[in-house]
Amino acid sequence: EVQLVESGGGSVQAGGSLRLSCTASGFTFDDSEVNWYRQAPGNECELVSSISSDGTTYYKYSVKGRFTISQDSAKNTVYLQMSSLKPEDTAKYYCAAYPAYSDRSYGRRCDVLFDYWGQGTQVTVSS
């Protein structure tokens, strides 16, 4: 069964840390670009970070130096380590995978649903 599940969100105070997980089953992340998106109520969907199949990473400017994306191939999981969290990081976080070997996409880009999408994970940062 193919699944893509986000987890690890929660409520923290400003300055705290969380580690989000995007875990896949039924397909591999090894030849995929994996993106983390977020959306707060009333706001546009944002690309927060991505990791490509060759390990190249991207970070939205406002999270550079605070967030780290990584991949554990053995666990077929992509992590988003978030540190020095700010209230403006409060949002629902989603992941999506774009395999290089297929024209299918998995997960979701906020309200845009691909195949086998998860529910996202809520991050709430209080001041």
Side-chain angles (χ1 to χ4, degrees):
E1 181 185 8
V2 179
Q3 279 190 313
L4 192 64
V5 179
E6 305 98 336
S7 62
S11 296
V12 297
Q13 291 193 326
S17 298
L18 286 171
R19 188 178 76 163
L20 306 185
S21 299
C22 174
T23 301
S25 58
F27 72 100
T28 177
F29 278 152
D30 285 348
D31 293 313
S32 304
E33 175 178 310
V34 179
N35 292 358
W36 279 101
Y37 302 93
R38 69 184 181 189
Q39 188 168 29
N43 287 7
E44 297 286 323
C45 184
E46 301 178 316
L47 174 61
V48 178
S49 182
S50 69
I51 185 165
S52 64
S53 56
D54 66 359
T56 302
T57 58
Y58 161 83
Y59 298 97
K60 177 179 170 62
Y61 180 80
S62 62
V63 308
K64 275 186 178 180
R66 299 189 297 120
F67 290 11
T68 302
I69 192 169
S70 62
Q71 181 173 338
D72 185 333
S73 296
K75 296 183 179 180
N76 215 22
T77 298
V78 170
Y79 299 103
L80 186 66
Q81 177 67 48
M82 307 187 298
S83 303
S84 302
L85 282 162
K86 303 176 180 180
E88 50 263 43
D89 295 318
T90 295
K92 196 79 169 281
Y93 285 70
Y94 306 93
C95 68
Y98 305 94
Y101 52 84
S102 171
D103 58 1
R104 300 180 73 173
S105 301
Y106 300 107
R108 59 193 294 176
R109 185 178 71 238
C110 301
D111 293 338
V112 177
L113 308 181
F114 304 127
D115 293 337
Y116 310 109
W117 45 271
Q119 297 299 318
T121 188
Q122 177 67 39
V123 172
T124 303
V125 185
S126 57
S127 57

